[in-house]
Amino acid sequence: MLVRDAMSTVVLTIGPAHTLRQAAALMSARRIGAAVVLDPDAGGLGILTERDILNAVGRGLSPDAEPAHAHTTTDVVFAAPSWTLQEAARAMTHGGFRHLIVMDRDEPAGIVSVRDILRCWAPAPASRSVPVPVL
C-alpha cells in the first residue's frame, strides 16, 4: 500500500504569525494533529504538531502570545505519494516524529500520520465494540 492510499488530504495551512491557540483551535476543529506552516520569509514549509503545542504550554508559555513560527519544525522530511507505507514508517521511526507532509509537484498534497498507517495495517473490525484487555 502507498502513502497516497493512507494520507489525509485535509491539509491545514497556517501562517507563522498564528498563535499557538489559533493553531490548536483550527487543528481541533478539523480533528487533525498537525498543521503545515507556510512562511515565505523563512523559505518554505514547516510543520507544527499537537506535541509542539503541548510542549510549549507545558513549559509555561502562553498559547495566546506564542507565534507558531517559534515552535515550527523547519527541518522537515517530506514523503512522496508513491512511497510505500513501510518507507513512511521507516522515515518516521528514524526521525522520531509522527507526521510527514506529503509533497506532490512541490505542493503539499496531504499529511500521513502514524495513525493513518496503523489504520491501513490493522483495519478496525466491523463491530465498533473492541474488547479492552484487563491488566
Side-chain angles (χ1 to χ4, degrees), residues 33-120:
V36 173
V37 181
L38 179 57
D39 190 351
D41 295 333
L45 299 176
I47 190 166
L48 179 74
T49 68
E50 57 201 355
R51 182 173 290 172
D52 297 324
I53 296 168
L54 181 66
N55 287 339
V57 172
R59 289 193 317 267
L61 301 174
S62 170
D64 294 311
E66 284 296 308
H69 74 83
H71 304 279
T72 298
T73 300
T74 55
D75 184 20
V76 179
V77 175
F78 298 104
S82 59
W83 279 17
T84 66
L85 293 185
Q86 289 82 359
E87 289 173 303
R90 192 174 309 117
M92 290 178 189
T93 301
H94 179 74
F97 44 80
R98 298 179 295 159
H99 298 86
L100 285 168
I101 299 172
V102 181
M103 297 293 286
D104 191 17
R105 296 184 196 101
D106 296 326
E107 294 290 326
I111 293 185
V112 66
S113 70
V114 170
R115 181 178 291 155
D116 296 327
I117 293 171
L118 288 175
R119 281 187 189 125
C120 291

Side-chain angles (χ1 to χ4, degrees), residues 6-19:
M7 71 182 192
S8 169
T9 57
V10 176
V11 180
L12 172 62
T13 303
I14 64 171
H18 276 83
T19 67

